[in-house]
Amino acid sequence: FVEQEDIFKIMEPLMKELTEKFSAKKLVGLEKDGRFKKISWREAMMKYGSDKPDLRFAMAIEPITDLVKGCGFSVFADVVKNVGAVHALKVDGGAKFSRKGIDEITEIARAKGAKGLAYITIKDKGELQSPIIKFLGQKLSEQIVKHLGAKPGDIIFFGADVWKTVCLSLGAVRNECALRLGLKDNAK
């Protein structure tokens, strides 16, 4: 019987050849052996919020449910208590988004089922700015920033809901932020 891997072995070389012959685009995301990178549906949804992720940029969604379990921010704590998920998306250079821009990005998340979109902005001297810091506390906020590797000039967006809603909404936020920051290189 023909297995999935048999189809991959036939189609991958064909796709590579067609791309190289008829497109100026370069293949990205290949493994060391030259094969296409394979990721499971669950991993794609968790990291990129889509089952067809744009891998031209590296921005990944991180689960932080365990980090915020029992925190003083009821939005996060209630979701965790109800077996939901809390994920975060660090956007390098996103601190330059205006309040209006953040509101527009929040509407994109809402269109995917999110009830809202929390955020923390890391200012030039490393100070944290966000309406949720007073609920999370300075220590936990700093812990989250450190965990995500955020630096001055970055913004962190948070999703808290059932797992799939969090993934889809932050996936839409990821794509919108990449578009606004010019990370979608069409030459790739």
Side-chain angles (χ1 to χ4, degrees):
F1 292 100
V2 176
E3 301 285 329
Q4 180 177 340
E5 195 58 36
D6 297 324
I7 302 298
F8 288 154
K9 285 179 183 175
I10 293 169
M11 295 305 295
E12 283 182 22
L14 175 63
M15 293 295 109
K16 285 185 208 173
E17 184 179 344
L18 289 172
T19 302
E20 290 166 1
K21 274 188 176 176
F22 299 108
S23 175
K25 295 183 180 188
K26 295 186 186 221
L27 293 172
V28 296
L30 297 177
E31 297 288 355
K32 290 179 183 176
D33 64 0
R35 303 266 327 256
F36 289 134
K37 183 178 183 178
K38 295 176 186 84
I39 56 177
S40 69
W41 175 84
R42 185 159 183 84
E43 182 183 357
M45 291 300 291
M46 179 81 80
K47 287 175 114 176
Y48 308 109
S50 171
D51 60 358
K52 50 185 183 311
D54 190 338
L55 300 177
R56 294 175 292 176
F57 53 96
M59 198 183 316
I61 300 165
E62 293 271 338
I64 61 162
T65 306
D66 290 339
L67 200 57
V68 298
K69 188 184 299 184
C71 73
F73 187 33
S74 64
V75 173
F76 290 177
D78 290 349
V79 164
V80 174
K81 192 186 319 177
N82 292 320
V83 196
V86 181
H87 293 179
L89 175 69
K90 175 182 68 92
V91 180
D92 293 341
K96 66 182 173 187
F97 294 153
S98 66
R99 180 68 210 164
K100 181 180 181 228
I102 292 171
D103 289 344
E104 291 167 353
I105 292 168
T106 300
E107 287 308 312
I108 289 168
R110 281 194 173 121
K112 293 293 184 182
K115 294 173 186 71
L117 191 64
Y119 66 91
I120 294 176
T121 304
I122 299 91
K123 294 297 185 180
D124 291 337
K125 295 185 179 173
E127 65 273 10
L128 307 181
Q129 183 179 30
S130 172
I132 68 168
I133 292 175
K134 62 184 171 191
F135 302 109
L136 284 176
Q138 189 69 28
K139 185 177 179 183
L140 179 57
S141 298
E142 289 171 358
Q143 215 178 344
I144 292 168
V145 168
K146 183 178 179 184
H147 175 77
L148 296 170
K151 59 195 177 319
D154 295 346
I155 190 168
I156 300 168
F157 289 108
F158 299 92
D161 208 313
V162 296
W163 183 84
K164 192 170 182 183
T165 299
V166 171
C167 294
L168 291 172
S169 60
L170 284 181
V173 168
R174 176 183 182 268
N175 281 324
E176 180 63 23
C177 290
L179 200 63
R180 289 174 184 242
L181 294 170
L183 301 178
K184 293 188 172 206
D185 182 359
N186 288 328
K188 293 182 180 178

